[in-house]
Every structure is written in C-alpha cells, then in structure tokens.
Amino acid sequence: MARAVVDWYDFHADYEYSTDDVPVSRLRRRSNVNVDAIHDFPVDSEMAPAQLYSTESGRLFHSGKIAIVTVGLPARGKTHVSVALSRYLRWLGVKTHAFHLGDYRREHMGPGNDVPHDYFFVNASPSSVKLRQTILQKCRFDLYHFLDREMGQVAIYDAVNPTAEGRKQLSKEFLKHEIQTIFIESYVDDPKIIEQNVRGVKISSPDYQGWNPNDAVQDYIRRMGAKIPHFETMDEHELNYIKMINAGERIIVNNCRFGYLPNRIVFYLMNLHIKSRRTYFARSGVATGEDSYKADGLLCDEGESYSQRLCNALLEHREKEREEFVKQGGNDEELKPLTVWTSTRRRTVQTAAHLQERGFKVKQRPQMSQLNPGNSNMTEEEIKAHYPADWDKHQLDPYHHRFPRGESYHDLAVRMEPIILELEREKNDLLIIAHESVLRVLYGYLMACSTSDIPSLKFPRNEIVEILPESYNNRAKRVPIPHTDTNGAYVP
C-alpha cells in the first residue's frame, strides 16, 4: 500500500476532451492541423511528426525499451518536459508515447466528477488509496502494452514520484520487464518560475474550468503545500537520472551511459527550457524577377509594402496580447522580447528590415533555405508531360519523394535538425520569416503533423501563424494582416 502512495501523486492539469465531453485517448491523427497532435496515439502506418529515421521494427539505435520517469513537485514543468521530449523523439523516428497519470485520473472519474478531498494527501483514506491503485494499474497496463505489444520504444511515465524508495522500486519493476529506466527531475526553487507555471496550469487545466482564477491559484497552491514536506529530490547514485535545475539553468547527469539514444535525450534536454514563449511564422515578400529556386532577387515594390504591413500587424497583435496578459494578472517584467529569424535569401532578409529598424534582433539561418525542387521547378502540366513516372511517385508520397537533382521534405527536415535544437533553446518570442516549404517543416515539428499533412500545409501571405505553447500541447492561431491578399498584394 505504501508503494501505491509514493507512486501516485499526479498534478498534470491538462487534458483534451472531444466535442462529446469524452476524454480523447489513443486516437489516430486528426485532420485538424491547427491542433497539436502530439497526444494522438502513434500507429504503425503513420507516425507524427515527420520521423527522420525509420526501421521495420520501429526501434532505433539498438536501444531496446526505455521508460522515462518524471520526478518533481507540481508546477515545476514536468509535463512540459515530457511532451517536448515526446515531440523530439517521435521527430527522430523513435516510437514514443507519454502516459500522464492526470489523464487517467480524469478519464476514470469522468467529466464533472472530482476525486475525494484527501485524494492527493499522503495519509489518504483507504478508499482514496484504493482509487489511486486502480488508476495506477490502468496506466501501467497501457504502458506495458505499448512497449511489449505495439513495439513502442520509449514510454514516458509522467508523475511526481516523490520518494527515493518509490523510485528504486519502480526501476526494479521495469527491469523485470527488460525496460531500462531514466528518471528526469525538474527541480525548481525560483518563485518566479513556479508562479508562472501555476498561472499557466490554472488557465488551461480542465480541473479548473469555470473557477475564479484567484480561487484556482489558491487551490493549486494548497495541493502543492500538501505534498512538499514528503518530497525527496533525486540523489540515488545507483539510478540513471537527469536533474534539470531552474528551467535548464543547470543540469546534473548521473549514469545514463547505456546507449546512443539516452545520449541524444541528454543532449536534447541540455537545449530545452521550460519557460514558455510564442513562435510566429510568416512568408517572405514577393521578389523581383522570376519566381524560381535559383533566383535571389530583392523585394519588389509590392513585397516592400507587404513587409511594412507584416511588421505593423505583428506589433499591434503583440500589444493587444500584452494588454490582455496584464489584465489577467501578469506584469510587464514577464513579457518576452521578440527575436527574428530569416534564411539568407535576400527577400527574407529584406522582409525583416522594418522590424530590424525598430530595434528587434534579426538572425540569418543558412539551414532555412527553401526546399530545392530540382527538375520540379516547372508547372504541374510540364512535370506530368516530361516526368510522368516521377509525378506518379510524388503523388503517392509527397513527403519522402524527391524529384531528380532536388530535395524531398524529408531531406529538408534532416537539414534543419540543428534549427530544431536552436528553436528549443530560444527563450525569446520568435518570428520566423521563410519560404513556405521551410515553414511547413518547422510547423510540422511544433504541431506534430504527420508526413501526409506537411507537404500540403498552407501559409498565405495575408496571415501570421502564431503557435501558442501550453503545458500539455501547442495551439495554432491565425493572425490576419490587414489590407493584404493571399499573395501579399495590397487590398484597399
């Protein structure tokens, strides 16, 4: 019974419900690419997002089965870390799924039903302990089923796991199933980070729908207060663990030397921070001369006018968001500055010029050059006439197929892997101005789009796409650019 108590502290406050108020779990990829699909259960025929590598077994790097177990008090960013790591590993091609104990609690209780008042307490009543055991068994069953029956490779077990003894028992249990265990502790003692995380949880959590915001914050703090005296930070030298201190300010790695994949996980976490920021996507303006891959012309007059409207629309939108943030209780000190990334193409650099003139930092990224279309730099009718076989292959798999002397979207994704790590490391709000092919791949990573979705994503020039980070998933929002049509031309 004691073991069930130490294993079962869950404060993971985000869960997505379907339109029928039925918890969504283990579903195939939805068609709505404006909703982050990281929690859609990966199936054999379709992994999300776009995997860089693949094998018939679904297991890579000779690493076998791995359980990643989160450790940390509530509002320390555990769920953010587990979701971000799931996104990155699935991007690599590692079949990964996160098992959030909070999801199982909400699904078991059903919509509108709350757990007993002492459910989260260490000295809970026998009935509450039995309830926790029931939910825990369901979570463990799904975890083992994923690794053993569905050829999963990494299962992320997202819970507080507060005591050293409980963690040792958990590692031994997984080892009996031939599962290597890595513990990831998110340790935070910075009050500002904790306060920011609490605010984010109480706004987005299904646990607090309909609550007064101040009451939600106080209830969440009460839950945390009930658990703090019983938490033991990781110091078990015999276990494999990674301790992230104050949102990546410092990282301690203990062991984790049993394969290539754990090293990739450590490297990724060294680039990750749990402080949320917004990402904006925008097309570059129209250039002079021919519209081709080889051409690198300057912006035409229409493109110059578009870049000015883009600048104004983004800054006005950010000002409205700032006012709303302050109205909800935030302060100006927590607002993040804006950084701009462009490719090295002249039209993208010029599109950012008005922002640079206003003092925003602009960085050029050579890896963000557009996809090389090869011989496909012609109309669809010309491709069908000159390369009918290639055209048929491209229609069957537009993500992996490459035209002669060109790149596929998969090639582009491999090329931009360093950009993915830079994106995770960036702490400022970020505007990315690039060609549509580049935006498709980066959007596919952040929103966990499948390979079938990425080649057809649309980024018209009359919109800025904003990615809103939440602790459980990302959400996309379209910000209109006034007086602009889909090609960037001025509309009175």
Side-chain angles (χ1 to χ4, degrees):
M1 184 174 295
R3 179 178 177 180
V5 172
V6 297
D7 282 341
W8 238 106
Y9 294 126
D10 63 292
F11 281 77
H12 305 296
D14 296 285
Y15 192 74
E16 185 173 338
Y17 286 81
S18 72
T19 54
D20 298 323
D21 287 332
V22 177
V24 176
S25 60
R26 301 171 74 88
L27 295 181
R28 287 177 177 267
R29 176 71 172 89
R30 292 181 295 271
S31 61
N32 182 3
V33 294
N34 291 321
V35 179
D36 182 352
I38 193 62
H39 296 292
D40 289 352
F41 204 81
V43 293
D44 292 338
S45 61
E46 186 176 306
M47 287 186 64
Q51 62 271 22
L52 299 192
Y53 315 104
S54 61
T55 63
E56 289 186 5
S57 69
R59 291 180 179 159
L60 298 175
F61 312 123
H62 306 286
S63 294
K65 297 180 291 186
I66 297 175
I68 294 176
V69 180
T70 66
V71 176
L73 290 165
R76 265 61 174 181
K78 299 184 302 300
T79 297
H80 173 83
V81 171
S82 66
V83 171
L85 191 55
S86 296
R87 180 176 287 109
Y88 177 69
L89 291 175
R90 288 168 69 177
W91 175 264
L92 289 181
V94 178
K95 195 168 184 180
T96 306
H97 189 67
F99 297 85
H100 308 282
L101 288 177
D103 288 356
Y104 286 85
R105 170 172 58 86
R106 283 181 283 272
E107 188 168 6
H108 182 84
M109 299 304 298
N113 297 321
D114 201 2
V115 294
H117 74 280
D118 64 343
Y119 178 85
F120 296 100
F121 293 4
V122 172
N123 58 343
S125 64
S127 60
S128 293
V129 171
K130 183 178 180 180
L131 176 62
R132 293 199 301 232
Q133 290 175 326
T134 300
I135 299 171
L136 177 60
Q137 289 171 358
K138 170 60 177 170
C139 178
R140 294 281 180 84
F141 175 83
D142 284 352
L143 187 150
Y144 291 136
H145 189 275
F146 170 71
L147 292 175
D148 295 332
R149 302 293 182 86
E150 299 174 17
M151 294 304 293
Q153 185 163 16
V154 175
I156 300 180
Y157 181 66
D158 186 7
V160 172
N161 296 296
T163 67
E165 183 59 31
R167 294 188 290 261
K168 291 176 184 177
Q169 292 176 359
L170 188 59
S171 180
K172 290 178 181 178
E173 179 183 332
F174 283 148
L175 192 59
K176 291 178 183 178
H177 292 262
E178 298 182 336
I179 302 170
Q180 293 278 8
T181 306
I182 301 175
F183 293 89
I184 299 178
E185 179 179 356
S186 183
Y187 180 87
V188 179
D189 58 9
D190 185 337
K192 290 184 178 179
I193 298 176
I194 296 173
E195 181 182 349
Q196 182 182 20
N197 290 342
V198 170
R199 184 181 296 115
V201 167
K202 62 93 176 174
I203 289 174
S204 60
S205 169
D207 286 347
Y208 296 114
Q209 287 184 357
W211 281 53
N212 176 282
N214 293 329
D215 292 342
V217 171
Q218 292 303 315
D219 183 75
Y220 202 87
I221 291 175
R222 179 186 62 80
R223 288 187 181 184
M224 289 194 295
K227 296 170 74 170
I228 288 174
H230 309 283
F231 181 81
E232 298 171 359
T233 187
M234 290 213 67
D235 193 28
E236 301 91 282
H237 298 295
E238 69 272 28
L239 298 182
N240 308 300
Y241 70 80
I242 304 163
K243 183 183 289 189
M244 302 177 65
I245 300 173
N246 286 333
E249 181 181 286
R250 190 157 59 96
I251 293 180
I252 298 173
V253 179
N254 189 67
N255 296 329
C256 299
R257 297 172 184 159
F258 54 87
Y260 174 76
L261 187 54
N263 290 332
R264 289 295 292 259
I265 292 171
V266 171
F267 180 63
Y268 175 74
L269 293 177
M270 291 177 68
N271 290 276
L272 180 69
H273 58 84
I274 63 174
K275 297 177 180 178
S276 63
R277 53 149 179 77
R278 295 168 187 256
T279 305
Y280 305 94
F281 291 144
R283 293 276 299 279
S284 58
V286 177
T288 58
E290 64 171 315
D291 183 16
S292 69
Y293 171 76
K294 295 181 180 179
D296 189 17
L298 298 172
L299 289 180
C300 63
D301 292 341
E302 194 174 85
E304 174 63 28
S305 174
Y306 161 80
S307 68
Q308 180 68 70
R309 295 193 301 277
L310 167 63
C311 173
N312 293 339
L314 178 63
L315 298 185
E316 289 175 8
H317 173 69
R318 283 175 57 81
E319 177 58 24
K320 290 179 182 177
E321 287 188 327
R322 185 195 68 80
E323 293 174 355
E324 184 63 27
F325 178 75
V326 173
K327 189 181 299 183
Q328 292 181 354
N331 58 71
D332 287 348
E333 292 181 0
E334 297 177 6
L335 296 174
K336 294 177 174 57
L338 178 69
T339 297
V340 184
W341 288 1
T342 74
S343 72
T344 54
R345 290 284 177 129
R346 289 192 287 182
R347 61 178 177 268
T348 63
V349 175
Q350 275 195 299
T351 303
H354 290 287
L355 287 162
Q356 191 167 28
E357 290 171 0
R358 298 200 186 191
F360 295 99
K361 189 173 184 180
V362 178
K363 299 179 180 179
Q364 298 179 27
R365 302 293 189 197
Q367 299 97 329
M368 284 175 27
S369 296
Q370 69 192 77
L371 180 146
N372 181 353
N375 287 345
S376 70
N377 194 28
M378 55 182 71
T379 67
E380 290 187 1
E381 294 303 321
E382 289 174 334
I383 297 172
K384 292 177 185 177
H386 292 87
Y387 304 100
D390 278 303
W391 175 257
D392 292 340
K393 291 178 182 177
H394 186 77
Q395 295 303 106
L396 291 174
D397 188 1
Y399 182 83
H400 292 95
H401 176 262
R402 68 172 68 89
F403 286 101
R405 293 180 291 281
E407 285 182 303
S408 66
Y409 277 97
H410 177 266
D411 297 329
L412 180 59
V414 171
R415 179 185 4 128
M416 289 203 299
E417 187 178 0
I419 293 295
I420 297 295
L421 295 173
E422 283 281 337
L423 189 146
E424 295 289 9
R425 189 159 53 237
E426 182 62 58
K427 295 183 179 180
N428 293 341
D429 287 348
L430 180 63
L431 168 64
I432 297 176
I433 302 175
H435 187 268
E436 193 168 36
S437 58
V438 172
L439 300 183
R440 285 169 176 162
V441 171
L442 293 177
Y443 184 96
Y445 170 75
L446 289 175
M447 298 301 292
C449 296
S450 70
T451 56
S452 60
D453 289 328
I454 289 176
S456 59
L457 294 174
K458 300 297 182 184
F459 295 89
R461 286 188 171 92
N462 63 346
E463 294 178 334
I464 301 167
V465 176
E466 179 181 19
I467 306 295
L468 303 166
E470 295 178 356
S471 57
Y472 193 76
N473 60 2
N474 293 333
R475 181 164 50 89
K477 178 180 178 181
R478 302 270 170 165
V479 180
I481 301 176
H483 304 294
T484 306
D485 69 11
T486 56
N487 294 317
Y490 177 75
V491 178

